[in-house]
Amino acid sequence: GSWLSMRPEAAASARTLVISKKHSGHLVMAPPFYSKNGVGSVYSRLGELLLRSHFAAVWPEENSGTTAFVAWWEHSLAHGLCYSFECVAPRVAGDHGATPSAAYLVLTCVTHTG
């Protein structure tokens, strides 16, 4: 924040300001779910569990979260998209930063793979 406020030319062209606290996390990508640590591991499975839980929470009607997740997955595959997330889960996959009180995903990048 202070760097932008000290440089008017930077503040004038700034589009996004991100302030972050580092929590313990690991990279997860989808589809398919994989991590830098492998496929079908605690790291990739945790990312899938958290993302499916997010869809279920946003669309709480019966099976709506699953339907929305499948639609997102199929759209990603059809358009050659890969989503990268920072997967943060306290006391699950090793701590190397501040420990959060709840698990969450941060979307860090969407790439076109096709």
Side-chain angles (χ1 to χ4, degrees):
S2 61
W3 186 83
L4 288 177
S5 64
M6 294 185 316
R7 299 178 148 228
E9 68 279 5
S13 65
R15 302 265 192 266
T16 304
L17 176 61
V18 177
I19 300 171
S20 164
K21 179 178 181 180
K22 173 64 176 132
H23 284 141
S24 291
H26 61 276
L27 175 66
V28 173
M29 295 158 283
F33 280 99
Y34 59 101
S35 70
K36 67 180 182 183
N37 302 16
V39 176
S41 66
V42 65
Y43 301 99
S44 58
R45 288 183 180 141
L46 185 56
E48 179 179 5
L49 176 66
L50 287 175
L51 192 57
R52 284 183 179 274
S53 296
H54 169 76
F55 275 86
V58 172
W59 290 277
E61 302 80 25
E62 186 176 344
N63 293 323
S64 293
T66 299
T67 301
F69 178 85
V70 169
W72 167 78
W73 188 272
E74 290 175 354
H75 178 269
S76 300
L77 290 174
H79 292 84
L81 301 176
C82 179
Y83 292 79
S84 298
F85 301 92
E86 182 72 8
C87 180
V88 178
R91 310 273 182 230
V92 174
D95 292 332
H96 52 273
T99 303
S101 57
Y104 62 91
L105 289 173
V106 177
L107 178 64
T108 58
C109 183
V110 180
T111 56
H112 184 258
T113 61

